[in-house]
Amino acid sequence: MIKNFVEELRWRGMLAQIMPGTEELLQKEMVTAYLGTDPTADSLHIGHLCGIMMLRHLQRCGHKPIILVGGATGMIGDPSGKSQERNLLNEETLRHNQECIKNQVAKFLDFESKEPNAAEMVNNYDWMKDFTFLDFAREVGKHITVNYMMAKDSVQQRLNGTARDGLSFTEFTYQLLQGYDFLYLYQHKHCKLQLGGNDQWGNITTGTELIRRTLGFENEAFALTCPLITKADGKKFGKTESGNIWLDPKRTSPYKFYQFWLNVSDEDAEKYIKIFTSLEKDVIDGLIEEHKKDPGLRVLQKRLAQEVTVLVHSQEALDAALEASAILFGKATKEGLEKLDGQTFMDVFDGVPQFTVSRATIEAGASLVDLAAEVGMFESKGAIRRELKQNSISVNKQKVAEDCTLTTADILASGCILVQKGKKNYYILNVE
């Protein structure tokens, strides 16, 4: 008995629109379904996660997922839900991005399985690169009318003045290119279902229409979309003041990634734990009940942050993020600080006042009193001496005396020295 994929999405809040007959098809047989992503960066960000989780649930329900990396369409740009045409990339960049994306998606999908529902990754550049414009116009363009294409919401929004620059022909053809992807996969991979975000509904249904008009109306193809994820306040999900939250640890440290989920609102945590984890319904229902008894414990946020961090990164990355989180609030040690790389160190101490000192100064041995006054960390030598006499100054989490001298032994792996006054006041010395 194949688990009901649509019901799984429905209770998780991951179902927006579904074409009639889709649920029946999924209950009748193992279905091959695909979801497309444009490789416009060498990493996915958490805005992509809902779609990737759809593919994960699809495979866990016994069906076969295909992720399509849009090497060809990435050279065009998709107007759906956007007010400007996106930058076009060259083939070398797109191929590099594709490899990086596959490595990330492999954490969610089983590409190595010997079962018939093993995941696959395809690139539409492979079947589009030798397709001439004349062949495309004859074999694809003749089947879909301009009237049909003009009626799509994504096209109408661009034509009705909501965007400054109008709609280029390049973008106008995008729905045909995406439609052809569906036709190609239908013919060569027996793919009957396309998944995507709800802003893709128009493009996806163009594909189902192209299949019917090209191969005959007895050839049925189906569509299913997930809602566009937003925050409780209506703002765009996944964006912070510093930009996207990326899956690549070099772009967003696991610590910062963990903190993002830990700091979501109660309302969002209840929604996100269903969408972004594979926890079963009874487990999630239990966590929600436990959270409501004492919201201050942030049970939902903690479990959400743990599950997603392990899924995207690893258990080791989660352990490191938890250890880093404890540095500001727990009894951290110099050894704990030494474990932090430069990016994580800066993420942990985001917003802390920073000062720069030359390596030569530290190598010569620098009096903390003199140096702190010189760089402006304290208003005067007298001020820091008073704090030192009160035993309230620490260097790298270790209490220091009035005659403290900073040496190269105090430089952490991050290239910094951490000075602390009392429990909550931190200062960073960047050694350059």
Side-chain angles (χ1 to χ4, degrees):
M1 175 69 180
I2 296 176
K3 193 175 179 183
N4 190 326
F5 171 60
V6 175
E7 187 52 42
E8 184 77 9
L9 295 187
R10 192 174 279 126
W11 78 258
R12 289 182 182 275
M14 297 174 70
L15 185 64
Q17 296 189 76
I18 182 169
M19 192 172 281
T22 305
E23 189 166 6
E24 291 78 5
L25 174 75
L26 287 157
Q27 285 296 92
K28 185 175 68 176
E29 62 186 68
M30 185 193 82
V31 175
T32 298
Y34 92 93
L35 178 140
T37 183
D38 283 330
T40 49
D42 61 2
S43 173
L44 300 175
H45 54 73
I46 58 174
H48 295 106
L49 269 186
C50 186
I52 301 301
M53 290 302 295
M54 286 175 78
L55 290 178
R56 181 175 172 85
H57 292 308
L58 180 88
Q59 189 172 39
R60 287 161 68 96
C61 289
H63 304 288
K64 181 180 178 68
I66 293 177
I67 181 161
L68 181 146
V69 175
T73 40
M75 292 179 172
I76 298 297
D78 172 16
S80 300
K82 300 173 184 70
S83 60
Q84 291 184 329
E85 188 167 354
R86 62 173 56 159
N87 293 330
L88 311 184
L89 306 175
N90 60 40
E91 184 185 349
E92 182 183 358
T93 303
L94 288 165
R95 289 292 186 188
H96 165 76
N97 292 354
Q98 175 190 341
E99 278 308 302
C100 295
I101 289 169
K102 183 171 184 182
N103 290 336
Q104 291 179 341
V105 175
K107 295 179 179 180
F108 296 82
L109 305 177
D110 186 355
F111 289 92
E112 306 301 323
S113 172
K114 303 300 181 188
E115 298 299 319
N117 72 327
E120 285 187 51
M121 176 174 272
V122 296
N123 187 333
N124 61 11
Y125 183 77
D126 294 331
W127 58 80
M128 292 302 299
K129 65 180 185 291
D130 298 321
F131 208 168
T132 69
F133 179 78
L134 290 176
D135 287 340
F136 187 81
R138 186 179 62 211
E139 295 178 28
V140 180
K142 71 176 184 181
H143 293 292
I144 301 292
T145 67
V146 170
N147 305 57
Y148 179 88
M149 295 170 70
M150 292 283 286
K152 298 295 182 181
D153 286 343
S154 59
V155 173
Q156 284 298 314
Q157 287 168 10
R158 294 294 294 269
L159 290 177
N160 290 337
T162 54
R164 263 199 329 256
D165 303 325
L167 179 71
S168 71
F169 175 77
T170 303
E171 291 181 287
F172 184 57
T173 58
Y174 188 94
Q175 61 175 291
L176 284 183
L177 290 167
Q178 186 170 329
Y180 182 73
D181 287 341
F182 201 174
L183 173 61
Y184 182 92
L185 292 174
Y186 185 93
Q187 290 178 299
H188 294 86
K189 299 286 186 182
H190 197 58
C191 179
K192 294 183 179 179
L193 173 63
Q194 185 179 167
L195 310 175
N198 206 32
D199 60 336
Q200 290 292 313
W201 181 257
N203 290 341
I204 296 173
T205 52
T206 296
T208 63
E209 190 68 14
L210 181 62
I211 289 168
R212 283 193 287 270
R213 293 188 184 188
T214 303
L215 303 177
F217 280 79
E218 70 279 3
N219 289 274
E220 289 191 295
F222 300 88
L224 186 156
T225 60
C226 63
L228 299 179
I229 311 302
T230 57
K231 294 192 286 188
D233 60 9
K235 292 181 180 176
K236 191 170 183 179
F237 164 74
K239 288 277 190 180
T240 66
E241 288 181 9
S242 56
N244 285 316
I245 301 296
W246 298 92
L247 307 195
D248 185 341
K250 292 190 289 292
R251 285 173 173 255
T252 300
S253 69
Y255 166 80
K256 193 171 183 180
F257 186 87
Y258 173 82
Q259 289 292 323
F260 170 83
W261 300 100
L262 189 65
N263 290 314
V264 300
S265 69
D266 289 352
E267 187 178 342
D268 285 336
E270 189 171 327
K271 180 168 68 171
Y272 295 165
I273 201 164
K274 296 173 185 175
I275 297 171
F276 299 112
T277 79
S278 297
L279 295 173
E280 297 295 338
K281 188 176 188 301
D282 58 337
V283 175
I284 290 176
D285 288 344
L287 287 167
I288 291 171
E289 284 306 308
E290 185 182 351
H291 182 89
K292 286 178 178 175
K293 289 175 184 174
D294 189 351
L297 294 176
R298 301 180 73 76
V299 169
L300 272 181
Q301 286 90 338
K302 288 176 182 175
R303 187 62 181 273
L304 169 67
Q306 290 169 9
E307 292 287 331
V308 185
T309 303
V310 170
L311 188 58
V312 170
H313 296 294
S314 66
Q315 181 64 46
E316 291 74 22
L318 171 63
D319 293 342
L322 290 170
E323 191 170 346
S325 300
I327 285 172
L328 282 177
F329 311 106
K331 295 180 179 178
T333 62
K334 183 179 180 181
E335 288 69 32
L337 292 175
E338 281 284 13
K339 293 179 183 178
L340 302 183
D341 61 80
Q343 184 59 59
T344 304
F345 185 92
M346 288 304 177
D347 286 343
V348 169
F349 295 102
D350 185 34
V352 168
Q354 297 187 36
F355 308 89
T356 301
V357 60
S358 71
R359 177 171 284 272
T361 299
I362 301 298
E363 287 175 347
S367 158
L368 177 59
V369 171
D370 293 342
L371 187 61
E374 182 183 326
V375 299
M377 187 184 296
F378 290 84
E379 60 190 36
S380 67
K381 292 181 182 181
I384 188 171
R385 282 199 180 100
R386 281 193 297 273
E387 297 291 347
L388 285 163
K389 284 176 180 175
Q390 293 170 13
N391 198 32
S392 62
I393 300 292
S394 299
V395 172
N396 297 332
K397 290 290 183 177
Q398 295 175 331
K399 294 288 186 181
V400 293
E402 191 175 348
D403 60 353
C404 172
T405 298
L406 300 180
T407 69
T408 52
D410 295 308
I411 303 173
L412 299 167
S414 58
C416 303
I417 298 173
L418 182 68
V419 179
Q420 183 178 355
K421 181 183 76 171
K423 288 186 176 181
K424 296 183 178 179
N425 296 299
Y426 291 95
Y427 310 90
I428 293 173
L429 277 174
N430 291 308
V431 182
E432 295 179 355

